[in-house]
Amino acid sequence: MNVRPHLEVIYGTMFADKSTSLVKRLLALQNLGIRTQAFKPEIDGRYGPNQITSHNGLSFPATDIKDTSDLLRYIGESTKVVGIDEVQFLNGSIIDLCDKFANEGRIVIVAGLDRDFRGEYFPFGKSGLTMADLIVKADIQTHRTARCLFETPNGFCGGVASRVQRFIDGEVAPYDSPTIAVGKEESYTPRCRQHFQFYEL
Ligand SMILES: [Zn+2]
């Protein structure tokens, strides 16, 4: 366990157990008696339960934040470990803030999607900044992949899935559909390189 100040970015596609990795680290650090606080963005006005949950049943309490100003408001002065899940939904100022927290002597561990449904770096809103700009700041870059769920005659493909295919009303989402869709019947499935439907531009 690295207990020196650092920034770790846990990134990858959906269904890649990024939250599990994050929660495990936060629990381990807290168990060492280090003051730990976690946050997650409120998405489109929807508040989830006040915790980060992982597929294997682990959870860690987390404060919902609208943006980085909320993060600055709620972070305790004595907090030594800052965890953020779904970091890609915050605004671009989170990049410098993560850097600042680590420079101040904190351990910062964030998890998020590296790519959007197009297979491009996930944008922080309209800031012009993307997850690539956050990943490059990290001391520890932890990449997680999922298993491809493309159905073949012999069952699921099972290949290394680095991307997620998005469907809207059963069809592959068009390139120009919004990065975050609200109110549509949409679904996502992890895909390997062979089975991800790339967009021709
Ligand atoms: Zn596949």
Side-chain angles (χ1 to χ4, degrees):
M1 199 79 218
N2 183 355
V3 296
R4 304 286 297 275
H6 67 274
L7 168 61
E8 177 176 9
V9 180
I10 302 165
Y11 64 96
T13 187
M14 289 170 82
F15 315 106
D17 280 343
K18 299 182 299 296
S19 299
T20 303
S21 301
L22 174 62
V23 168
K24 278 184 181 169
R25 283 163 177 58
L26 297 179
L27 288 170
L29 288 160
Q30 190 177 55
N31 286 343
L32 293 175
I34 307 174
R35 187 169 150 69
T36 302
Q37 244 187 312
F39 303 89
K40 63 189 178 65
E42 170 206 335
I43 304 160
D44 305 322
R46 287 173 294 165
Y47 284 92
N50 288 317
Q51 58 183 19
I52 300 167
T53 50
S54 68
H55 295 298
N56 63 359
L58 292 175
S59 67
F60 197 92
T63 305
D64 277 308
I65 51 171
K66 275 199 181 68
D67 48 34
T68 45
S69 57
D70 273 353
L71 178 54
L72 286 167
R73 191 171 307 135
Y74 297 131
I75 191 166
E77 248 179 66
S78 60
T79 294
K80 289 292 180 206
V81 178
V82 183
I84 306 172
D85 199 18
E86 304 282 7
V87 68
Q88 79 279 353
F89 289 132
L90 292 170
N91 51 46
S93 57
I94 190 63
I95 297 170
D96 284 344
L97 199 52
C98 286
D99 227 19
K100 177 173 174 284
F101 284 159
N103 288 341
E104 287 172 351
R106 292 178 163 119
I107 296 170
V108 185
I109 308 172
V110 302
L113 292 171
D114 54 345
R115 297 179 174 103
D116 63 13
F117 72 93
R118 305 174 187 94
E120 298 172 353
Y121 273 118
F122 207 100
F124 285 105
K126 301 204 184 305
S127 63
L129 298 166
T130 71
M131 279 292 282
D133 299 294
L134 175 61
I135 292 167
V136 78
K137 298 274 191 190
D139 305 291
I140 303 173
Q141 301 171 346
T142 303
H143 185 219
R144 292 273 182 266
T145 56
R147 289 283 162 200
C148 176
L149 290 181
F150 185 84
E151 284 186 67
T152 74
N154 305 317
F156 292 118
C157 159
V160 171
S162 55
R163 293 167 172 80
V164 66
Q165 196 89 62
R166 176 203 210 179
F167 299 88
I168 297 178
D169 296 331
E171 301 287 331
V172 170
Y175 182 86
D176 57 0
S177 58
T179 300
I180 305 167
V182 184
K184 294 274 191 182
E185 186 65 42
E186 58 168 348
S187 62
Y188 295 86
T189 184
R191 289 283 170 87
C192 70
R193 170 173 293 274
Q194 187 189 351
H195 293 126
F196 180 77
Q197 184 176 319
F198 285 90
Y199 293 90
E200 287 178 27
L201 297 177

